[in-house]
Amino acid sequence: MITTSSKLFYGLGAVSIAGSIVWMIAHDGGALGAVALVFIATALIFLGAIASYVRDGHVLSTDTEQHDSAPAAQRGPGRSWFPLGVALSLGTLVVGLVTSPGIFKVGVALLIAMLGEWLIQNWSDRASSDPSYNERVRGRVVHPLEIPIAGALLLAVIVLSFSRIFLSLSVNAGPIVFAIVGALVLFFGSMLSIRPGTSRRVVGTICGVALVGLSVVGVVLALDGEREQLTEAAEEDHFAHRACGEEADYSDEDAVRAVSAKSSVAATVTLKNGVLYAEMDGYSGPLTSITLQRSLNSNILFQNEDEGEHRMVVTYGKVVESLGGGVERETLLQACTSLVAKGGQQGVVVNVPKPSFSSTEGFSITVPGLEGASVEVLVP
Amino acid sequence: MKTARRWRNASKAAIAVSALSFLASCAKDAPQDTWQPAGPNAERIDNLQRPVFYVAGVVGVIVFVAVAWVLYRYRDRGQAIPEQTHGKPVVEIVLTVIPVLILLGVAVPTASTIFKLAKTSDTEMTINVTGQQWWWEYDYPASGSNIEQYGITAPIVTSGQLVIPENTKVLLRVTSRDVIHSYWIPKLNGKKDSVPGRVHLLRMEGSKPGIYAGQCTEFCGLSHAYMRMEAVVLSRADYDKWVANQLEEYTAPEAGTDAAAGEALFIQQCSRCHQVNGLKNSDGSLNIAAPEQNLVSGAAPNLTNLMTRNTFAGASWDLLTPECRDNVWNASSADFGERYLAGVSTECLNQKDLREWLRNSPAKKPMYADPTKLASTGGLYRGMPALGLTEDQINIIIAYLLERK
Amino acid sequence: MTIIDRPSTDVAIAGGAPAGVKPSEALGVFKRPAASTSWRDWVVTVDHKKLGIMYGVTAFFFFIVGGVEALLIRLQLIAPDGKVLNADQYNQMFTMHATTMVFLFVMPMAAAFANYFVPLQIGARDVAFPRLNAFGFWCFLFGGLFLNSSWFLGGGADGGWFMYAPNSSTLFSPSLGIDFWTLGLQITGIASLTGAINLIVTVLNMRAPGMKMMRMPIFTWMVLVTQFLLLFAIPVITVALFLLTFQRSFDATFFDVASGADPLLWQHLFWIFGHPEVYIMILPSFGIISEVLPVFSKKPLFGYPIVAMSGAAIGFVGWGVWAHHMFASGLGPVSVTVFSMATMAIAVPTGVKIVNWVMTMWGGKLSFTVPMLFAIALVVQFTIGGLSGVTHAVAPSDTQQTDTYYIVAHFHYVLFGGAVFGLFSGFYYWWPKMFRRQLNEGLGKWNFWLMVIGMNLTFGPMHILGLQGQPRRMGVWTEARAGEGFFNFGFWNQIASIGSFILGFGVLLFLVNVIYTHKSKKVAISPLDPWDARTLEWMTHNPPQEHNFDTIPTVGHLDEFFHRKYETDASTHAVKQVHSAEEVMAELNAHPDEHIHMPSRSYWPILLALSLPVIAYGLIYNRMLMAVGAAMTLLTMFGWSMEPSTSPDDDFDPPAPGEGGGHTKELSPLG
């Protein structure tokens, strides 16, 4: 009557009851936790009773004739690596708790995967007494999940390793390594296509070695870190803000040279023959001064029709910060385009917070490096 | 009898349509009526739309009469099942070709009017119109023909009432600081959306002095219904007077008056958002308002010459009492300029609405100026908040504002 | 109830499929649900007729919801400076009214008719993808409920049904209402798209023998064109909604001007969807009255090929006119001219239809039953709406009319007077086929007249209000702008508001009619062919059996049913009845098909549809919930593909002549 699993439930129920008593003592009669534990105990005992009643679901446990012929008795599960796998995932999980959240999440994912697979394996083992049939049914149920996930993981490993390698190599070494690896892939691919009869073992070994090599090198180089330039750029935020000077800087490299024609802009500013002039819809002819509204996002398009790369800079005031001890730092408020080659266009969105009469120098649009090329900006 | 009823239904529809179009002209003086042009641009539109409406009306009547007749003639009177005709191509073709011809006739003047209304090469004056939640700002830039021909030597910034000289080809450069609005003065031209990040052009020209009402016609949030404006057309002489007045230097109020106390309070409270040109702080420096630090849209109406216009809060309320308002709004063309330029005097000031506004503006115009909703905008107001002014403070502010002429 | 059905235990040890395991059980992992007569059958059904009824009931419920929202709007506007709704509530009300009416009433109600009648009209037994059909319905239901749950969770969407950017961004619309709107419409969009694919495949592949495309009933033609429109339009709105969702929930900058975006992007995307959308709404109603008018004129549809082709033309040209919603939005004069011309062009195929409908009645024998009254009313009202549409095809004129009540009048005439009247015509026409009884003619006439009078009183004055300058989407109007004189804003607004209540009452009468018809003992069961109709769907029982036809008819003519009942003398053109409807049916079913294979019921469509709102709620409230929803989606898709392709219990063996027959197994409780 007291079956195996009911023992577990009764035991846990007893533990809960004991725990509730201890709680009551420890918390000076604080009832909430004790109530919870008593409820848990009740639930567990109830489950235990059900387990007893249905005899752990072993309907056939009383039917001793079936003991030999029942499917569950036909074939022992044999060796299984699931216990090891689950233990390892649990271990990873615990390590991750202590070290880093990333490892913890990996441990959780592994644990879920292991337990899931174990569950499916157990189910398919008992589906019928024909192992090959069981395999087929298991495959039918689980392959639509397993295969895409495995494929995605494989791709992730390849792509990540690849990227870590190339982030570490210097700018010159990269293309060389790429060419070599590409040549190797081409070589082995050609070999395989010439000899289609190559055994699976050989192909498998080659791919396996390549994959392992790639991953190992990838992990090593990932731990080693990216090449200096990149680290420096990230730390100093090279690509996030644009310097508005004459020389090129990081944000100008590979900047979009041509902007898709923006319609209905506030003003178009053109550099031609060293002279800067503006055109605005609704005004005829070239203008040397434009009026922009305050606090308005205005699109200004810059067109370079001169040789060389130039950028347009809109200066609209300055900010003065006092750094203590009577020292002040003046920063110009500027918005600028990237460097634009001849014939190119670039736009910039400008939002001027203060009127131009609030500043003694006034606001202007200039091209750094070209004296005298300027358009006045009036903000009422 | 069912058939008689059906016939009645069809004819009722016909009568309804013709009656509607007839009655449409019976509404007198709807300020935003689209069939009463007061300027050449609106006239061009009206000259195009009237014939189209009439043709549409005629076509409609023909269809209704045809339907009514068919229902009457072919109702079930016990006749035999009719011949199962499947179609007569001739009828089809003729009755297709006729609408095509009518539409061609409409299409050609349509295209020509579209291009005429988009023409900008004959512009005589350019004004920037900026929409934001929930009012319109106008700035008259000091550039080009504005300076040479109209004496606008420094930029003029106003709100609510667009003032233009009569018979002048004005071009509005319409844009927005926040969401999409739409600028529409029906008696002077069709509407044009004001889209943030873009500048759209709209011709505006009035043929006779007067005040013409308009409304924002693109849904823009809570107070879309309270975003109104007017266009004021003045004769050339009156317009020059207006410009001169707007460009006058700031005169501080006399010391010791209510207005002077109001000025101090204005600097302390109101100038966080509102700009008055020429106002000086106590240390002598120019007072520069900081709406970009306090408002989502980054701007608040410029109050330098508030009392030269006669509506406020997005033209939603009058600054004039009802009699004074009638005096100005319903003036004849000859008298209008003088009465408008008189501005708002102490006797004519609509104390009720202005006081309610100063007391608690969000209660009057829904704006989310409620501090509890500021989290989503990072602490910026969306409209004028309730400042918690006492009645005395309101008195001195009004005294100060009355001098803004 | 076992969900996982394992094969029996007496198996062969050697390899191969164990003996005693039937193929369907061996291949499927999850069992199909058994048939039943209770509510459960409706939850797992894949029958196009049941789904059509569910679409219809749900859509009508949303019609009432949208109608209440409209009445609140009219109450607010009956007087100046109204106090019924505050500004925020008003904005939510008009947004949700429009969204509900367009996406949750007109489109699904058309889908209801399409689902029920297209397979019947083409002589098919169901649609091509029955489970997908069910999935579509549940997506619509859950999407609609999700969208409207916003009312209880902080307020409805408040940016207008057109949801222009940048007003729709979180800076200007911080409440969650718009998030509910975007995600709800994504979910219902899935319903429309899958339905479109389904019906296109059905119509192209599953027509009865002899039914060439030009012998299809005209309703099916219009539905086919509509589905093609949906197929291309829904992806556009999907993209737009994704962009908006990413902007609001993940700080994307698609419509952020300070980052360089152009707000017109949203407008273009929305209207490229939005204009075909209005044709999606009207074409099925055009199809319905193109069926009704011939039946009650006792003449075939005049110019059938032209009507079909003009429907296709409208569908085609309708893609080229979207920017007529943007004439004031700052497009240049060239674009405006092009779209203005295109909009005028599209009036032509629509006008052709009006001509054909009137010519159908010309020379006919008109009986003014309620469906016929609604059909005639559509012709008249749509003409008014179409003509006002032509007046704003003229772009300069449109710059005065757009965003005023003139536009509101126009689209309500074409949508209410057009689409909705067509739907009501369909209700009264097809009710006896679906529900065995004819709706009461007397009550129906009251229903009709109140709706016509109410509609014209409500929307007629709006033409004038618009021309007098009352803009739309405004929570209050003011005396200062109302005009002097008697016939000013005040007068016309009052008429419109009173009319709206008359209209509401008229709609209520329809419900009264339905209740009366089904509750009253005095209403007789309808005969098989109460209207002396012309098309295939009438060659079935009342209501059609689950397998629709005992024998699939072979089609020799357009209006096949009519040709089986009547003969035309070649010389005199006189028409004579040779068979009654019952005789035609008896002849058709004399040799019923054997062993008719029908699609089986399934749990998975509703379960998969249920996972979508879970993801949506998760996106709004708690990203973990999204993961749960995504897992649900994945697993339910899994279950859908894993279930047996058929359950042997769902095939039908018709009775041999003289015997009773039935399903191969009795209906048993689920288990």
Side-chain angles (χ1 to χ4, degrees):
Chain A
M1 262 297 282
I2 308 278
T3 55
T4 319
S5 63
S6 64
K7 280 184 209 163
L8 172 67
F9 288 122
Y10 291 140
L12 283 174
V15 168
S16 302
I17 292 180
S20 73
I21 296 173
V22 171
W23 182 288
M24 289 277 270
I25 297 174
H27 283 254
D28 261 341
L32 192 59
V35 169
L37 283 168
V38 169
F39 271 114
I40 292 175
T42 316
L44 287 166
I45 292 172
F46 179 61
L47 284 171
I50 293 183
S52 296
Y53 180 68
V54 300
R55 298 180 195 293
D56 282 5
H58 281 163
V59 177
L60 303 175
S61 65
T62 50
D63 181 358
T64 46
E65 282 174 10
Q66 290 279 327
H67 279 183
D68 289 324
S69 57
Q74 288 314 322
R75 187 178 73 112
R79 283 179 290 196
S80 164
W81 50 277
F82 283 113
L84 180 66
V86 170
L88 280 175
S89 338
L90 271 172
T92 318
L93 194 149
V94 169
V95 165
L97 272 173
V98 178
T99 51
S100 97
I103 300 181
F104 173 74
K105 285 177 194 158
V106 167
V108 168
L110 270 178
L111 186 65
I112 293 175
M114 286 290 145
L115 285 175
E117 288 282 323
W118 198 351
L119 191 87
I120 299 278
Q121 190 64 42
N122 272 344
W123 167 78
S124 73
D125 277 344
R126 277 159 177 61
S128 79
S129 52
D130 175 16
S132 68
Y133 176 80
N134 291 344
E135 273 304 300
R136 287 217 311 283
V137 172
R138 177 195 172 284
R140 198 166 158 79
V141 174
V142 149
H143 278 165
L145 276 177
E146 276 180 344
I147 294 183
I149 292 180
L153 280 172
L154 185 65
L155 275 172
V157 166
I158 294 176
V159 168
L160 276 171
S161 312
F162 207 74
S163 62
R164 296 308 108 181
I165 295 174
F166 282 97
L167 282 171
S168 295
L169 293 175
S170 77
V171 178
N172 297 317
I176 298 174
V177 169
F178 191 87
I180 294 175
V181 169
L184 276 173
V185 171
L186 188 60
F187 173 71
F188 280 111
S190 322
M191 285 292 110
L192 284 175
S193 71
I194 291 173
R195 293 177 179 220
T198 321
S199 77
R200 289 178 81 183
R201 275 185 177 278
V202 174
V203 175
T205 319
I206 296 178
C207 289
V209 166
L211 189 62
V212 169
L214 185 67
S215 335
V216 165
V217 176
V219 167
V220 166
L221 288 178
L223 291 171
D224 197 34
E226 298 171 3
R227 60 179 180 268
E228 248 186 63
Q229 279 176 305
L230 294 174
T231 328
E232 194 188 289
E235 275 164 19
E236 297 180 24
D237 226 7
H238 278 163
F239 296 95
H241 63 251
R242 181 176 280 158
C244 292
E246 204 180 329
E247 291 81 33
D249 75 345
Y250 291 99
S251 63
D252 289 308
E253 281 171 42
D254 304 323
V256 171
R257 300 292 169 180
V259 112
S260 56
K262 243 187 176 343
S263 58
S264 304
V265 292
T268 307
V269 173
T270 313
L271 174 66
K272 193 165 176 172
N273 300 328
V275 171
L276 208 58
Y277 63 89
E279 284 161 308
M280 290 177 108
D281 280 341
Y283 294 90
S284 48
L287 304 166
T288 49
S289 123
I290 64 174
T291 307
L292 295 177
Q293 290 97 310
R294 188 177 163 182
S295 299
L296 178 72
N297 287 315
S298 306
N299 274 303
I300 304 185
L301 202 62
F302 173 58
Q303 287 175 161
N304 181 11
E305 290 177 21
D306 268 1
E307 296 295 334
E309 290 191 338
H310 298 283
R311 71 168 96 246
M312 170 185 81
V313 177
V314 183
T315 311
Y316 51 95
K318 56 178 185 279
V319 171
V320 177
E321 305 157 72
S322 77
L323 299 171
V327 178
E328 286 184 337
R329 178 167 68 185
E330 233 181 53
T331 345
L332 287 175
L333 288 171
Q334 288 184 323
C336 54
T337 65
S338 63
L339 285 175
V340 179
K342 176 170 179 173
Q345 282 183 326
Q346 254 269 344
V348 69
V349 182
V350 178
N351 188 316
V352 180
K354 294 287 183 213
S356 47
F357 62 76
S358 69
S359 148
T360 40
E361 294 101 28
F363 302 156
S364 61
I365 299 178
T366 49
V367 176
L370 285 183
E371 297 295 325
S374 127
V375 168
E376 188 191 8
V377 173
L378 289 169
V379 179
Chain B
M1 262 218 313
K2 301 174 198 169
T3 53
R5 259 195 257 160
R6 243 354 305 334
W7 189 82
R8 255 186 262 139
N9 172 54
S11 57
K12 181 198 306 182
I15 293 170
V17 166
S18 33
L20 291 183
S21 32
F22 174 78
L23 287 169
S25 54
C26 273
K28 283 196 310 155
D29 301 328
Q32 291 170 191
D33 199 305
T34 57
W35 280 40
Q36 292 179 12
N41 298 303
E43 262 163 31
R44 278 192 198 107
I45 297 177
D46 198 49
N47 291 339
L48 180 60
Q49 77 184 356
R50 275 185 200 251
V52 173
F53 268 83
Y54 298 148
V55 167
V58 166
V59 170
V61 167
I62 291 176
V63 172
F64 304 145
V65 167
V67 170
W69 190 83
V70 163
L71 297 181
Y72 173 71
R73 169 76 176 80
Y74 295 106
R75 67 192 186 282
D76 188 350
R77 286 169 271 114
Q79 66 263 44
I81 296 179
E83 187 183 331
Q84 305 284 295
T85 46
H86 285 86
K88 283 202 192 83
V90 172
V91 173
E92 299 264 17
I93 293 173
V94 167
L95 290 177
T96 307
V97 166
I98 293 179
V100 170
L101 291 174
I102 296 177
L103 287 170
L104 276 174
V106 170
V108 172
T110 301
S112 137
T113 310
I114 294 173
F115 278 91
K116 282 211 192 86
L117 287 171
K119 186 170 167 189
T120 59
S121 53
D122 56 352
T123 302
E124 291 168 334
M125 174 189 259
T126 312
I127 304 177
N128 290 329
V129 172
T130 314
Q132 50 266 304
Q133 291 178 321
W134 286 277
W135 55 284
W136 291 97
E137 178 181 273
Y138 309 114
D139 70 90
Y140 303 71
S143 56
S145 64
N146 284 11
I147 307 179
E148 293 143 23
Q149 300 198 345
Y150 298 96
I152 300 176
T153 47
I156 300 172
V157 181
T158 65
S159 74
Q161 289 182 339
L162 176 76
V163 183
I164 56 178
E166 75 179 313
N167 295 320
T168 310
K169 293 182 174 35
V170 176
L171 191 68
L172 302 180
R173 299 180 79 242
V174 183
T175 182
S176 161
R177 285 196 166 96
D178 44 29
V179 298
I180 301 181
H181 304 270
S182 192
Y183 198 79
W184 189 42
I185 312 278
K187 290 191 177 174
L188 297 185
N189 200 351
K191 61 185 64 77
K192 186 69 75 161
D193 281 1
S194 76
V195 179
R198 294 170 66 95
V199 175
H200 297 153
L201 303 174
L202 181 65
R203 293 170 68 94
M204 190 72 40
E205 184 178 344
S207 342
K208 52 188 202 305
I211 186 164
Y212 302 103
Q215 258 181 291
C216 168
T217 34
E218 187 58 67
F219 177 68
C220 52
L222 267 187
S223 269
H224 171 59
Y226 294 98
M227 186 164 167
R228 307 178 192 144
M229 60 286 200
E230 290 98 24
V232 171
V233 177
L234 296 174
S235 68
R236 187 53 204 269
D238 288 329
Y239 191 75
D240 290 335
K241 287 186 203 149
W242 182 82
V243 169
N245 186 19
Q246 298 288 321
L247 291 176
E248 261 175 25
E249 291 286 324
Y250 177 79
T251 37
E254 242 181 76
T257 54
D258 272 349
E263 187 193 35
L265 182 58
F266 187 93
I267 292 174
Q268 187 212 0
Q269 282 272 23
C270 317
S271 72
R272 282 184 285 158
C273 297
H274 288 285
Q275 177 77 39
V276 169
N277 296 347
L279 177 63
K280 290 204 171 65
N281 296 323
S282 47
D283 63 3
S285 62
L286 267 182
N287 179 285
I288 312 262
E292 75 282 357
Q293 292 169 16
N294 292 303
L295 292 170
V296 171
S297 56
N302 184 308
L303 298 180
T304 310
N305 291 302
L306 173 64
M307 294 299 168
T308 60
R309 41 190 192 262
N310 55 46
T311 51
F312 74 104
S316 303
W317 290 280
D318 294 297
L319 284 169
L320 296 170
T321 55
E323 316 84 58
C324 294
R325 181 192 189 273
D326 269 342
N327 191 30
V328 176
W329 282 60
N330 297 332
S332 67
S333 304
D335 298 328
F336 174 75
E338 192 194 325
R339 295 188 193 178
Y340 182 77
L341 289 174
V344 178
S345 61
T346 318
E347 308 79 50
C348 273
L349 178 65
N350 173 3
Q351 295 271 354
K352 172 179 173 296
D353 282 319
L354 187 55
R355 283 182 173 272
E356 273 174 21
W357 178 257
L358 291 170
R359 220 169 276 139
N360 190 345
S361 40
K364 210 163 161 58
K365 179 167 166 171
M367 290 183 290
Y368 272 175
D370 175 5
T372 62
K373 293 193 167 121
L374 288 184
S376 64
T377 61
L380 300 174
Y381 291 107
R382 202 195 306 280
M384 180 157 146
L387 295 166
L389 300 173
T390 64
E391 286 308 300
D392 285 332
Q393 287 177 315
I394 292 178
N395 287 340
I396 57 178
I397 288 277
I398 290 184
Y400 175 67
L401 290 176
L402 275 168
E403 292 197 8
R404 298 302 99 233
K405 275 217 275 204
Chain C
M1 173 178 68
T2 48
I3 292 183
I4 302 180
D5 193 23
R6 301 190 189 134
S8 66
T9 55
D10 49 333
V11 294
I13 306 281
V21 173
K22 304 191 198 60
S24 67
E25 292 173 32
L27 287 175
V29 180
F30 305 115
K31 193 169 152 178
R32 297 272 202 165
S36 84
T37 47
S38 71
W39 61 270
R40 294 196 200 96
D41 202 43
W42 291 80
V43 170
V44 295
T45 185
V46 298
D47 175 12
H48 71 99
K49 299 183 287 299
K50 289 211 171 78
L51 290 172
I53 293 175
M54 288 198 281
Y55 260 112
V57 170
T58 313
F60 206 90
F61 166 72
F62 284 119
F63 182 38
I64 306 292
V65 170
V68 167
E69 287 158 355
L71 291 177
L72 284 168
I73 293 173
R74 282 319 315 169
L75 270 179
Q76 166 73 1
L77 294 178
I78 196 170
D81 295 311
K83 300 273 182 293
V84 173
L85 299 168
N86 68 30
D88 191 22
Q89 290 167 339
Y90 184 84
N91 291 347
Q92 290 175 29
M93 209 55 70
F94 77 73
T95 307
M96 295 300 283
H97 162 72
T99 308
T100 303
M101 287 303 196
V102 169
F103 292 100
L104 303 180
F105 165 55
V106 177
M107 284 170 78
M109 190 59 86
F113 283 115
N115 260 305
Y116 202 111
F117 289 104
V118 166
L120 287 170
Q121 284 198 333
I122 61 175
R125 293 213 154 96
D126 205 314
V127 293
F129 305 116
R131 285 180 297 176
L132 197 65
N133 204 8
F135 170 66
F137 167 71
W138 295 112
C139 276
F140 155 58
L141 176 66
F142 295 142
L145 289 175
F146 175 81
L147 179 60
N148 280 286
S149 69
S150 59
W151 288 114
F152 307 107
L153 292 170
D158 56 357
W161 89 285
F162 50 97
M163 207 53 77
Y164 276 3
N167 189 45
S168 54
S169 64
T170 44
L171 176 60
F172 298 106
S173 298
S175 84
L176 294 173
I178 294 184
D179 295 298
F180 278 96
W181 185 87
T182 43
L183 294 169
L185 289 185
Q186 288 282 34
I187 298 175
T188 55
I190 295 174
S192 297
L193 193 58
T194 55
I197 297 171
N198 217 339
L199 281 170
I200 292 175
V201 174
T202 307
V203 170
L204 293 181
N205 284 304
M206 293 172 66
R207 282 167 282 139
M211 184 173 278
K212 304 191 253 206
M213 292 291 284
M214 294 311 267
R215 286 186 188 156
M216 286 198 312
I218 190 70
F219 174 67
T220 303
W221 257 111
M222 294 296 120
V223 166
L224 182 65
V225 174
T226 307
Q227 304 312 307
F228 272 104
L229 283 173
L230 276 168
L231 187 66
F232 294 109
I234 296 284
V236 179
I237 189 70
T238 304
V239 165
L241 291 172
F242 262 117
L243 296 183
L244 185 57
T245 305
F246 272 77
Q247 162 120 359
R248 286 181 64 90
S249 302
F250 302 111
D251 291 328
T253 53
F254 296 110
F255 308 112
D256 180 29
V257 176
S259 308
D262 190 333
L264 251 53
L265 172 65
W266 170 272
Q267 292 191 30
H268 282 294
L269 283 174
F270 185 81
W271 289 118
I272 291 178
F273 155 77
H275 197 80
E277 167 67 14
V278 312
Y279 295 119
I280 288 167
M281 288 195 279
I282 194 67
L283 284 176
S285 291
F286 279 359
I288 294 177
I289 68 152
S290 304
E291 299 282 355
V292 168
L293 287 171
V295 167
F296 296 102
S297 313
K298 292 251 181 296
K299 272 182 69 211
L301 180 65
F302 189 89
Y304 163 91
I306 306 279
V307 176
M309 287 305 128
S310 69
I314 290 175
F316 205 66
V317 180
W319 288 99
V321 300
W322 81 85
H324 67 223
H325 300 271
M326 297 168 63
F327 279 154
S329 297
L331 311 172
V334 174
S335 300
V336 166
T337 308
V338 166
F339 281 102
S340 187
M341 303 295 120
T343 309
M344 290 184 207
I346 206 168
V348 175
T350 321
V352 160
K353 285 192 162 42
I354 305 270
V355 166
N356 281 300
W357 289 327
V358 175
M359 292 306 294
T360 303
M361 294 191 285
W362 187 291
K365 184 173 146 83
L366 308 177
S367 55
F368 297 113
T369 55
V370 178
M372 182 63 162
L373 290 176
F374 272 108
I376 297 171
L378 185 153
V379 174
V380 172
Q381 310 287 198
F382 189 85
T383 302
I384 299 177
L387 289 171
S388 66
V390 170
T391 59
H392 35 263
V394 173
S397 173
D398 184 62
T399 60
Q400 292 282 30
Q401 297 161 0
T402 187
D403 258 287
T404 66
Y405 264 84
Y406 189 80
I407 305 285
V408 177
H410 158 74
F411 67 73
H412 280 100
Y413 263 85
V414 293
L415 279 179
F416 205 107
V420 176
F421 277 11
L423 294 172
F424 272 79
S425 179
F427 288 143
Y428 280 90
Y429 177 58
W430 276 315
W431 203 270
K433 178 54 62 181
M434 294 190 280
F435 301 115
R436 304 175 80 204
R437 293 175 183 203
Q438 275 171 266
L439 289 170
N440 182 280
E441 280 285 302
L443 274 174
K445 292 211 163 94
W446 274 95
N447 174 198
F448 169 73
W449 283 109
L450 279 174
M451 280 180 74
V452 166
I453 292 171
M455 206 215 104
N456 281 289
L457 278 181
T458 310
F459 302 115
M462 290 186 184
H463 291 102
I464 303 179
L465 281 172
L467 295 178
Q468 284 183 345
Q470 179 174 3
R472 55 189 290 208
R473 300 165 183 156
M474 290 199 318
V476 295
W477 55 271
T478 169
E479 285 288 356
R481 295 287 199 261
E484 293 146 41
F486 184 69
F487 297 106
N488 65 354
F489 279 19
F491 176 74
W492 295 116
N493 269 303
Q494 276 170 0
I495 303 259
S497 295
I498 294 170
S500 67
F501 278 88
I502 297 177
L503 181 56
F505 190 63
V507 172
L508 219 54
L509 270 188
F510 175 75
L511 287 173
V512 168
N513 198 349
V514 170
I515 295 171
Y516 170 77
T517 304
H518 288 275
K519 286 282 191 246
S520 161
K521 306 270 188 286
K522 291 184 280 179
V523 178
I525 303 291
S526 162
L528 275 182
D529 181 24
W531 311 119
D532 194 20
R534 309 173 74 94
T535 40
L536 280 185
E537 76 271 19
W538 296 95
M539 288 165 65
T540 54
H541 296 157
N542 276 3
Q545 302 162 292
E546 192 175 332
H547 57 282
N548 294 349
F549 301 95
D550 279 344
T551 320
I552 302 283
T554 303
V555 172
H557 311 89
L558 176 63
D559 288 342
E560 173 67 17
F561 187 32
F562 182 83
H563 281 90
R564 292 194 184 200
K565 290 184 289 185
Y566 292 89
E567 246 174 39
T568 306
D569 188 297
S571 45
T572 62
H573 296 291
V575 179
K576 198 180 59 161
Q577 178 152 21
V578 291
H579 289 119
S580 73
E582 287 75 10
E583 286 166 6
V584 171
M585 276 290 285
E587 197 192 321
L588 180 66
N589 296 335
H591 302 284
D593 291 343
E594 291 192 2
H595 197 71
I596 298 171
H597 170 67
M598 290 299 291
S600 309
R601 295 157 180 72
S602 172
Y603 305 107
W604 300 105
I606 183 173
L607 291 176
L608 179 55
L610 206 50
S611 68
L612 298 176
V614 174
I615 300 180
Y617 277 115
L619 181 56
I620 294 178
Y621 289 110
N622 184 337
R623 301 281 153 90
M624 275 313 298
L625 192 58
M626 271 184 88
V628 170
M632 261 181 86
T633 307
L634 188 67
L635 292 174
T636 46
M637 280 190 193
F638 205 58
W640 183 317
S641 53
M642 285 285 123
E643 67 175 349
S645 55
T646 181
S647 160
D649 311 332
D650 282 319
D651 294 341
F652 179 79
D653 281 316
E659 283 177 30
H663 286 85
T664 49
K665 78 181 244 318
E666 315 93 45
L667 300 174
S668 68
L670 228 48

